[in-house]
Amino acid sequence: MPPELAFDARSSWKNHLGNQSIDPLRIYEPESLEQVAAIVGEAGRIGATARAVGSGHSWSDVALGEGFVILTGQLSRVPAAEPDFLRSDWADRHLVRAGVGVRIKELNAYLDEQGLALSNMGGYDHQTVAGVVSTSTHGSGITFGPLNDFVRSIDLVAGNGRVYRIERAGGPTDPAAYAAHHGNERILRQSDAMFDAVSVSMGCMGVLCTAMLEVEPKYFLKEVRTFHTWEQVRADLTDGEVLRRNRHYEVLFSPYRRKHAYPCLVTTRNYTESPERKALDKRMRNWAVELASAFPLTPHIINLLVDLKPSLCPFLLENAIRALIKDEYDEVSYKVLNIGAANVLPAYSAEIGVPMDGRHLEAVDRIIEVAAERRGLGEAYQSSPLSFRFVKGSPAYMSMMHGCDTMMIELIQLTASKAATSCSPPTSRRCTRSAAARTGGRSTR
Ligand SMILES: Cc1cc2nc3c(=O)[nH]c(=O)nc-3n(C[C@H](O)[C@H](O)[C@H](O)COP(=O)(O)OP(=O)(O)OC[C@H]3O[C@@H](n4cnc5c(N)ncnc54)[C@H](O)[C@@H]3O)c2cc1C
């Protein structure tokens, strides 16, 4: 191990929310792929595990490693230092190879400057590229797979420090040019099976160092948020046309009947022209909601209210849904795809993936039953609306969306609400989508 590769043996690693932590053997922060290879090689020699972490935004223990923890904050160059060696038939496509430690928000800023944009993203932008790829982070829109499906090439350090470039068959790298440059030191594998095994792997198949993403020219979106009842939304989803007609379609839902109906907010996002000349109000989300979400006391006030009087939850959920109604928000794509200040509320989230096999809406019927049961048994309530997003099937083996279009049901709970926690097993809220994928993926309650 070169002496300049310093490590920290005395610190703990904590995730972003602070609900997961570990005291690993060593913590490294490499600056290059070669340094990652040296660290993983050293781990192999002494029999320690090595696990890379991104920005620690997973709520589960999916990023915890007992051996060498590899922080990726210094692997964040865009474009990455590793050359592409592009085949000529890939030359006209919009491709960017990024260092995997770059945050989505930084990548968006870089792409914007280049007149480019991600085709889709999750509802948040503080995660790293490797973090979203490794856990198959998704947004909404039935024509879009999760973010790993936009990756075309990966540079990865595997066991004992061997360096691989992994792509699908016919991938972007010219094998002859790659071999001429790297000789036997690096291995190019262009195989669908290998790509589908390593792209989504929760850090278990080596350390990603760069990822090449296919992107598109910069575009603008119009977001419309309207109030509906579940009965209307269920009928629309059964027909399915709303999913095909809208680029993005997602639902926020309260499992508590109010005035004979279950409240829903439907959000659609579709292409629009540049909103440059639009009034400020059309270029902003509801400012009062944004302000209230970002206000540090808001979660404490909500927790206090629901702890004092848990039966307020159905009322609060309906009003949270109604507060988000907005007839028009037009902006550059990545600002509209980011759901905004709701992301900063202290909360845990878990997701259930239900294959869209014609019976997926029955999962919502079951959720309504469970919510009523829990309410009756011990005044236990869901403290935030549920979200339903619809994602195209992914070929990645460990993706929750593997092999079929999937309805992703997100259960969000504020961190400290007794009303919500008193009656449910903690694991149901604290396992993330990625942990669920790791343990076999899909489940319906
Ligand atoms: C506010 C918020 C909003 C969110 N919104 C969404 C959403 O809309 N849709 C969605 O699907 N998810 C969402 N998530 C979940 C989030 O996208 C994932 O948990 C994501 O993995 C976090 O990325 P990270 O960079 O923090 O990775 P980490 O949490 O640090 O790590 C996640 C996994 O990736 C592995 N990993 C990280 N870097 C590497 C690397 N270089 N090589 C190999 N493995 C690596 C880790 O070992 C770990 O297994 C959200 C999370 C938060 C906190």
Side-chain angles (χ1 to χ4, degrees):
M1 171 79 26
E4 67 272 16
L5 273 187
F7 60 83
D8 181 352
R10 310 299 306 163
S11 298
S12 303
W13 181 85
K14 264 197 210 153
N15 71 343
H16 172 72
L17 189 65
N19 65 320
Q20 301 285 347
S21 68
I22 194 154
D23 295 329
L25 215 47
R26 298 179 183 178
I27 299 180
Y28 285 98
E29 190 160 15
E31 293 176 7
S32 66
L33 184 149
E34 288 75 15
Q35 290 188 353
V36 174
I39 294 163
V40 177
E42 169 77 352
R45 271 188 294 283
I46 69 163
T49 57
R51 179 184 284 272
V53 297
S55 61
H57 277 80
S58 299
W59 290 277
S60 74
D61 60 358
V62 72
L64 299 184
E66 291 173 351
F68 292 3
V69 165
I70 300 173
L71 308 180
T72 48
Q74 301 298 321
L75 302 173
S76 56
R77 278 182 55 176
V78 195
E82 296 301 319
D84 289 329
F85 307 107
L86 269 194
R87 287 185 212 256
S88 54
D89 53 339
W90 280 73
D92 292 338
R93 294 166 73 157
H94 299 294
L95 303 165
V96 59
R97 186 178 292 278
V100 287
V102 71
R103 307 262 185 145
I104 297 298
K105 61 178 177 173
E106 295 152 0
L107 180 62
N108 283 335
Y110 168 81
L111 291 173
D112 194 321
E113 277 169 23
Q114 309 296 313
L116 298 169
L118 291 173
S119 300
N120 200 10
M121 55 181 257
Y124 188 50
D125 61 5
H126 281 46
Q127 313 94 317
T128 61
V129 164
V132 298
V133 170
S134 302
T135 58
S136 207
T137 289
H138 64 90
S140 72
I142 198 63
T143 58
F144 300 104
L147 289 176
N148 51 286
D149 286 354
F150 298 98
V151 176
R152 302 290 174 253
S153 172
I154 281 169
D155 285 322
L156 171 107
V157 175
N160 297 326
R162 299 213 71 172
V163 180
Y164 289 82
R165 174 163 289 186
I166 301 175
E167 304 176 347
R168 294 194 171 284
T173 300
D174 179 342
Y178 190 79
H181 187 84
H182 287 301
N184 292 329
E185 282 188 8
R186 295 195 187 180
I187 305 155
L188 173 67
R189 287 271 186 275
Q190 293 181 315
S191 138
D192 287 356
M194 205 166 195
F195 188 78
D196 289 332
V198 299
S199 53
V200 178
S201 64
M202 270 62 75
C204 297
M205 298 291 272
V207 179
L208 304 186
C209 292
T210 76
M212 178 197 273
L213 293 144
E214 185 145 15
V215 296
E216 60 181 271
K218 179 172 171 172
Y219 58 98
F220 299 89
L221 290 174
K222 178 197 294 290
E223 179 179 270
V224 179
R225 287 177 160 174
T226 43
F227 186 84
H228 293 264
T229 64
W230 171 241
E231 291 70 9
Q232 296 164 327
V233 172
R234 198 183 203 289
D236 286 347
L237 285 170
T238 304
D239 171 65
E241 180 57 22
V242 284
L243 297 179
R244 293 184 288 274
R245 198 173 57 230
N246 293 293
R247 191 175 194 271
H248 307 271
Y249 175 97
E250 62 196 54
V251 181
L252 273 184
F253 164 78
S254 167
Y256 305 110
R257 186 182 276 272
R258 303 262 306 150
K259 290 195 189 142
H260 315 298
Y262 296 92
C264 283
L265 183 85
V266 169
T267 300
T268 58
R269 301 186 188 98
N270 288 295
Y271 284 123
T272 191
E273 298 294 307
S274 164
E276 225 167 29
R277 291 203 195 84
K278 291 234 158 143
L280 192 60
D281 173 54
K282 306 278 182 207
R283 301 196 65 175
M284 286 173 73
R285 285 219 171 83
N286 185 328
W287 63 267
V289 177
E290 293 292 288
L291 211 63
S293 305
F295 184 56
L297 288 181
T298 300
H300 301 289
I301 295 168
I302 299 173
N303 286 337
L304 189 69
L305 278 175
V306 297
D307 287 348
L308 284 174
K309 199 164 168 43
S311 59
L312 278 179
C313 280
F315 166 82
L316 293 175
L317 258 56
E318 175 169 0
N319 281 284
I321 284 175
R322 286 188 182 276
L324 292 167
I325 295 169
K326 181 96 167 64
D327 60 358
E328 186 175 347
Y329 167 46
D330 292 12
E331 248 305 351
V332 66
S333 58
Y334 59 90
K335 291 192 182 166
V336 178
L337 293 170
N338 182 333
I339 64 162
N343 279 317
V344 300
L345 285 170
Y348 300 100
S349 171
E351 277 194 309
I352 301 169
V354 185
M356 293 174 68
D357 58 0
R359 293 189 56 201
H360 52 286
L361 299 177
E362 290 173 26
V364 183
D365 303 338
R366 182 71 188 120
I367 284 170
I368 290 171
E369 283 169 20
V370 171
E373 258 168 46
R374 295 286 165 133
R375 180 183 189 169
L377 282 175
E379 283 212 296
Y381 288 88
Q382 172 69 22
S383 62
S384 161
L386 278 71
S387 119
F388 306 149
R389 287 181 283 181
F390 304 88
V391 188
K392 187 176 160 194
S394 169
Y397 300 128
M398 292 280 277
S399 168
M400 278 185 84
M401 289 126 276
H402 173 68
C404 57
D405 294 351
T406 305
M407 174 164 107
M408 298 300 294
I409 301 176
E410 187 175 14
L411 301 140
I412 306 160
Q413 296 281 22
L414 297 177
T415 46
S417 167
K418 283 190 211 131
T421 57
S422 59
C423 204
S424 10
T427 45
S428 67
R429 280 184 313 285
R430 289 173 195 188
C431 86
T432 60
R433 169 195 45 66
S434 46
R438 200 171 41 133
T439 53
R442 296 157 204 295
S443 59
T444 48
R445 285 204 241 183

